Amino acid sequence: MSRLALPTVIALALALSACATSNPDVIGRHEAQRMSQVLDATVLSSRPVVVEGNQSGVGAVAGGVVGAISGGSVGGRREGQVAGVLGAVAGAVIGNAIERSTTRESAVEILLQLRNGERRSVVQAQGSEQFAPGEAVILVTTGGKTRVMRAPPVTAAPPAPAASH
């Protein structure tokens, strides 16, 4: 059983950790069909950063369970109990470390200047766009989360309809 449990728990932990992302190219289901606030801005600078991984406890629990099962199968009853406890502790530590490392993301911090002169900073996972100083961008805010995107070309507004008498 312990041989099957380890791959299953690791796969589950990796699958759960893959659900969380700050990638600007991935839009959450809760963001669909919602009005967003859009602000124009100019990139002042950008730099690579790392977003620290999560420690939700899923990895620690999964590792602890696997360690306890694996350790519990060692030796006789008394040795199995001791090894099970030690396996659970070691598994929890290892599972926590795996969760942290698998949820760590390469990101970019973008320093921006809004049209009104205010300055803002946004950190987001590295997406498909690269940002250069002086480049026009838009800030899209939905549900308290903001992402930076390259500004689309500005088109002329359609003419106002003629007033009829």
Side-chain angles (χ1 to χ4, degrees):
M1 180 172 160
S2 64
R3 288 184 184 165
L4 293 176
L6 179 60
T8 303
V9 172
I10 289 174
L12 178 62
L14 291 175
L16 290 174
S17 68
C19 295
T21 182
S22 61
N23 189 326
D25 298 331
V26 177
I27 306 300
R29 181 169 298 283
H30 66 281
E31 293 177 281
Q33 296 183 326
R34 292 189 181 252
M35 179 84 64
S36 299
Q37 178 185 15
V38 178
L39 295 173
D40 291 305
T42 302
V43 175
L44 297 174
S45 66
S46 66
R47 68 184 185 104
V49 295
V50 174
V51 176
E52 189 62 46
N54 292 333
Q55 289 183 299
S56 67
V58 171
V61 169
V65 168
V66 170
I69 292 170
S70 299
S73 64
V74 172
R77 182 174 177 201
R78 185 161 176 86
E79 293 87 9
Q81 290 174 343
V82 171
V85 169
L86 294 175
V89 171
V93 169
I94 293 168
N96 187 49
I98 290 171
E99 180 184 15
R100 264 194 17 217
S101 67
T102 58
T103 57
R104 191 175 173 141
E105 289 185 275
S106 294
V108 61
E109 179 182 33
I110 309 160
L111 184 59
L112 307 148
Q113 184 159 346
L114 302 179
R115 298 291 181 238
N116 66 6
E118 291 181 32
R119 292 182 176 190
R120 303 282 167 87
S121 173
V122 175
V123 175
Q124 65 187 28
Q126 183 63 56
S128 60
E129 297 180 316
Q130 303 288 322
F131 300 103
E135 185 172 16
V137 294
I138 56 173
L139 282 68
V140 180
T141 302
T142 307
K145 291 186 176 184
T146 300
R147 65 183 186 275
V148 180
M149 301 170 39
R150 186 167 281 113
V154 178
T155 58
S164 59
H165 295 292

